[in-house]
Amino acid sequence: MFSLHGTGIGGGIVVGRAVVLESRLIDVPRYRIALEQRPAELGRLDRAIDVVRLELANLAEQLPADAPPEAQALLQIHAMMLDDPSLVEQTRLAVESHGQNAEWAFFSQVEHLAAQFEQFEDAYLRERGRDLTQVADRVLKALSGSGRRLPERPKPGDVPLVFIAHDVAPADMLHLKQAGGFALDLGGTASHTAILARSMNVPAVVGLNTGSLLVRDDDWVVLDGDAGVLMVAPDEIVLEEYRHRMLMGLLERKQLERLVHVPTATVDRVAIELHANIELPAEAEQAMESGADGIGLFRTEFMFMNRDDRPGEDEQYEAYAAAVIAMRGRPVTIRTIDIGADKPLRGDDEGHDPAAAANPALGQRAIRYSLAEPDMFLEQLRAIHRAAEHGPVRLLIPMLVHGHEVEQSLRLIAQAREQMSVRTRRAAPEVPVGGMIEVPAAALTAGMFARRLDFLSIGTNDLIQYTLAIDRTDHAVASLYDPFHPAVLQLVSQTIRAAERAGKPVSVCGEMAGDLEATRLLIGMGLRSFSMHPASLLRVKREILRCDAARLRARVSRLLGSDDPVKVQAGLKRLREN
Ligand code: PEP
Ligand code: MG
């Protein structure tokens, strides 16, 4: 038995049999083509490319109705790569002038281009290199005449199948929908594959490097999507332990499902709202299934990432409207783009990349970026207001620090509504506007934001990063990233009180909201609205149903009086225990 460690995408535990998918770009034949045979060889190349074009068009047509909308766009990107002169023309040239066979010429060109993508520091540009190799894989298979081996759907009741691969094209991943889970060598948390995996809600681990080479077809495997571990050929004792854990997980899930329709309230009858965080509109379904009161955070920047162009107003409107319609009357909080820092944008018209700054987390990120690009911001604001014609929408502005950012945003919102009314000759819907409190400066002046806006939402992920000076993406300092540092707790509590005083709703939408260790603490601070990944929602609900809000308020206020991290930790432990 051995274990491989990667990045966990979530989804729990699965014990099953490995299905190792063919790795890409292997055994490329290399031989010389005689001068008179070269036109025929070019014809063979063209036919293979046509086959792949047709294959992609068929895949696009057959996409299931519930496929994430990204899948359609990805297939288009793949089809466009087949028209890229740096790929196809250079390959033709190598056949014509150097007499390389089509596979050899094509593979060399792909390797050359892929190596260029590899050089990019920007993770999103590197990711585009993967798109290229996925398309190349299809062309090479078409040239060799071999069919693609797509994962088979497991029959219900079978041992779960865990798909292991170097990489899986997002379109092929849709075939994994009924699979027990998957483990991939490539990808990070923000890769296309990871984004789709999350929306499919199966255990998944990415970034296993060369792990797929070490697993054999039909090996027993344990995949822990939460811990990011793949155990291969485990002993019977380990298998039994994980089968037990998997069963307990399924049992817990079943028990939790009974809570879906139970109103969320503490034992002393304080009502609590539980909302869901989503990155793609398709995830709204999962939010509904978990009984969410609405979407508390729609991270719209994911729609802008990993592409060369910018989504236009209509495309954005369709995505926002899809989420609003899926939520059937429950509110959807749409956050304007939070581009920059660990979420860079590509294909910017000005060639400007905010993430390329020396210190991108402190640079032109989120609302700073939107205000610097008013045309783009207005486009997004119009799309959000158009979506509001389908149901209740709330607009959320990320990373506020200054009062003038609120004023400028409100002015642009008024301008976007005005543009819409001129266009449609009727009044644009009015949408509540809230602000994210994610920076200590904003938390310390939260009253000013609460008075100017309709609601506040605390982004603890960034608030912790900026308060403790810990880069949230840097493994070297990850152990110092402490959500329960007294400074963080004071800022969160202070923000909740400022909103209470202003009579405005306040929510927490960072990871802290879905952390069971923080539930009692936040209720004790007076928080009445949480927003988290839908998978955490029912567990948090179960904890809330056991809380006594009045008792917690008194206990938490004593705990917040201390500035000593050790005492605060001890107090938190007691709070969680009884
Ligand atoms: C946060 O910072 O807590 C937050 C919710 O925003 P994001 O994680 O998208 O930066
Ligand atoms: Mg944030």
Side-chain angles (χ1 to χ4, degrees), residues 335 338 343 365 399 436 438 459 461-462 472:
R335 181 174 74 179
D338 178 9
K343 291 182 280 197
R365 161 178 188 192
M399 288 280 299
M436 286 201 65
E438 313 181 77
N461 305 340
D462 277 312
R472 63 195 257 197

PDB file of all heavy atoms in Angstrom, residues 335 338 343 365 399 436 438 459 461-462 472, ligand 2:
ATOM      1  N   ARG A 335     -21.858  39.149  -6.507  1.00  0.00           N
ATOM      2  CA  ARG A 335     -20.724  40.026  -6.198  1.00  0.00           C
ATOM      3  C   ARG A 335     -20.076  40.473  -7.494  1.00  0.00           C
ATOM      4  O   ARG A 335     -19.829  39.651  -8.382  1.00  0.00           O
ATOM      5  CB  ARG A 335     -19.700  39.272  -5.341  1.00  0.00           C
ATOM      6  CG  ARG A 335     -18.518  40.151  -4.964  1.00  0.00           C
ATOM      7  CD  ARG A 335     -17.581  39.466  -4.014  1.00  0.00           C
ATOM      8  NE  ARG A 335     -16.791  38.445  -4.675  1.00  0.00           N
ATOM      9  CZ  ARG A 335     -15.874  37.704  -4.054  1.00  0.00           C
ATOM     10  NH1 ARG A 335     -15.668  37.874  -2.762  1.00  0.00           N
ATOM     11  NH2 ARG A 335     -15.179  36.802  -4.703  1.00  0.00           N
ATOM     12  N   ASP A 338     -14.146  40.118  -8.476  1.00  0.00           N
ATOM     13  CA  ASP A 338     -13.010  40.259  -7.564  1.00  0.00           C
ATOM     14  C   ASP A 338     -11.793  39.714  -8.298  1.00  0.00           C
ATOM     15  O   ASP A 338     -11.303  38.627  -8.018  1.00  0.00           O
ATOM     16  CB  ASP A 338     -13.289  39.468  -6.278  1.00  0.00           C
ATOM     17  CG  ASP A 338     -12.114  39.542  -5.305  1.00  0.00           C
ATOM     18  OD1 ASP A 338     -11.180  40.325  -5.557  1.00  0.00           O
ATOM     19  OD2 ASP A 338     -12.142  38.811  -4.301  1.00  0.00           O
ATOM     20  N   LYS A 343      -6.596  35.652  -8.218  1.00  0.00           N
ATOM     21  CA  LYS A 343      -7.577  35.415  -9.281  1.00  0.00           C
ATOM     22  C   LYS A 343      -7.315  36.376 -10.453  1.00  0.00           C
ATOM     23  O   LYS A 343      -8.020  37.358 -10.629  1.00  0.00           O
ATOM     24  CB  LYS A 343      -8.998  35.603  -8.729  1.00  0.00           C
ATOM     25  CG  LYS A 343      -9.374  34.503  -7.735  1.00  0.00           C
ATOM     26  CD  LYS A 343     -10.783  34.650  -7.232  1.00  0.00           C
ATOM     27  CE  LYS A 343     -10.877  35.685  -6.152  1.00  0.00           C
ATOM     28  NZ  LYS A 343     -12.112  35.586  -5.356  1.00  0.00           N
ATOM     29  N   ARG A 365      -7.086  45.378  -7.130  1.00  0.00           N
ATOM     30  CA  ARG A 365      -7.895  44.171  -7.041  1.00  0.00           C
ATOM     31  C   ARG A 365      -9.360  44.555  -6.824  1.00  0.00           C
ATOM     32  O   ARG A 365      -9.639  45.634  -6.318  1.00  0.00           O
ATOM     33  CB  ARG A 365      -7.270  43.402  -5.868  1.00  0.00           C
ATOM     34  CG  ARG A 365      -7.960  42.422  -5.239  1.00  0.00           C
ATOM     35  CD  ARG A 365      -7.443  41.601  -4.149  1.00  0.00           C
ATOM     36  NE  ARG A 365      -8.508  40.605  -4.001  1.00  0.00           N
ATOM     37  CZ  ARG A 365      -8.608  39.785  -2.998  1.00  0.00           C
ATOM     38  NH1 ARG A 365      -7.720  39.802  -2.042  1.00  0.00           N
ATOM     39  NH2 ARG A 365      -9.622  38.956  -2.941  1.00  0.00           N
ATOM     40  N   MET A 399     -14.099  44.116  -1.357  1.00  0.00           N
ATOM     41  CA  MET A 399     -12.845  44.782  -0.948  1.00  0.00           C
ATOM     42  C   MET A 399     -12.938  46.295  -0.766  1.00  0.00           C
ATOM     43  O   MET A 399     -12.041  47.033  -1.161  1.00  0.00           O
ATOM     44  CB  MET A 399     -11.766  44.514  -2.006  1.00  0.00           C
ATOM     45  CG  MET A 399     -11.243  43.115  -2.023  1.00  0.00           C
ATOM     46  SD  MET A 399     -10.032  42.817  -0.749  1.00  0.00           S
ATOM     47  CE  MET A 399      -8.761  43.953  -1.168  1.00  0.00           C
ATOM     48  N   MET A 436     -18.560  44.299   0.935  1.00  0.00           N
ATOM     49  CA  MET A 436     -17.810  43.277   1.663  1.00  0.00           C
ATOM     50  C   MET A 436     -16.811  43.929   2.602  1.00  0.00           C
ATOM     51  O   MET A 436     -16.093  44.861   2.225  1.00  0.00           O
ATOM     52  CB  MET A 436     -17.086  42.356   0.686  1.00  0.00           C
ATOM     53  CG  MET A 436     -18.072  41.432   0.012  1.00  0.00           C
ATOM     54  SD  MET A 436     -17.327  39.961  -0.661  1.00  0.00           S
ATOM     55  CE  MET A 436     -16.742  39.094   0.755  1.00  0.00           C
ATOM     56  N   GLU A 438     -13.587  43.101   4.231  1.00  0.00           N
ATOM     57  CA  GLU A 438     -12.537  42.086   4.092  1.00  0.00           C
ATOM     58  C   GLU A 438     -11.161  42.629   4.465  1.00  0.00           C
ATOM     59  O   GLU A 438     -10.165  41.924   4.346  1.00  0.00           O
ATOM     60  CB  GLU A 438     -12.444  41.608   2.635  1.00  0.00           C
ATOM     61  CG  GLU A 438     -13.736  41.282   1.982  1.00  0.00           C
ATOM     62  CD  GLU A 438     -13.565  40.802   0.555  1.00  0.00           C
ATOM     63  OE1 GLU A 438     -13.174  39.656   0.371  1.00  0.00           O
ATOM     64  OE2 GLU A 438     -13.851  41.586  -0.379  1.00  0.00           O
ATOM     65  N   GLY A 459     -16.019  39.092   4.628  1.00  0.00           N
ATOM     66  CA  GLY A 459     -15.193  38.110   3.908  1.00  0.00           C
ATOM     67  C   GLY A 459     -14.023  37.743   4.807  1.00  0.00           C
ATOM     68  O   GLY A 459     -12.968  38.388   4.782  1.00  0.00           O
ATOM     69  N   ASN A 461     -11.987  35.281   4.740  1.00  0.00           N
ATOM     70  CA  ASN A 461     -10.768  34.755   4.102  1.00  0.00           C
ATOM     71  C   ASN A 461      -9.739  35.867   3.924  1.00  0.00           C
ATOM     72  O   ASN A 461      -8.568  35.724   4.263  1.00  0.00           O
ATOM     73  CB  ASN A 461     -11.083  34.153   2.722  1.00  0.00           C
ATOM     74  CG  ASN A 461     -12.159  33.099   2.784  1.00  0.00           C
ATOM     75  OD1 ASN A 461     -12.412  32.553   3.849  1.00  0.00           O
ATOM     76  ND2 ASN A 461     -12.807  32.828   1.670  1.00  0.00           N
ATOM     77  N   ASP A 462     -10.191  36.978   3.367  1.00  0.00           N
ATOM     78  CA  ASP A 462      -9.271  38.097   3.173  1.00  0.00           C
ATOM     79  C   ASP A 462      -9.046  38.862   4.469  1.00  0.00           C
ATOM     80  O   ASP A 462      -7.948  39.364   4.711  1.00  0.00           O
ATOM     81  CB  ASP A 462      -9.801  39.034   2.083  1.00  0.00           C
ATOM     82  CG  ASP A 462      -9.427  38.526   0.707  1.00  0.00           C
ATOM     83  OD1 ASP A 462      -8.247  38.192   0.510  1.00  0.00           O
ATOM     84  OD2 ASP A 462     -10.324  38.416  -0.151  1.00  0.00           O
ATOM     85  N   ARG A 472      -2.883  34.103   1.936  1.00  0.00           N
ATOM     86  CA  ARG A 472      -3.753  32.932   2.072  1.00  0.00           C
ATOM     87  C   ARG A 472      -3.408  31.799   1.119  1.00  0.00           C
ATOM     88  O   ARG A 472      -3.927  30.703   1.250  1.00  0.00           O
ATOM     89  CB  ARG A 472      -5.240  33.342   1.929  1.00  0.00           C
ATOM     90  CG  ARG A 472      -5.621  33.901   0.599  1.00  0.00           C
ATOM     91  CD  ARG A 472      -6.964  34.604   0.643  1.00  0.00           C
ATOM     92  NE  ARG A 472      -8.031  33.796   0.063  1.00  0.00           N
ATOM     93  CZ  ARG A 472      -9.201  34.275  -0.315  1.00  0.00           C
ATOM     94  NH1 ARG A 472      -9.486  35.559  -0.140  1.00  0.00           N
ATOM     95  NH2 ARG A 472     -10.113  33.506  -0.836  1.00  0.00           N
TER      96      ARG A 472
HETATM   97 MG    MG B   2     -12.294  38.043  -0.464  1.00  0.00          MG
END
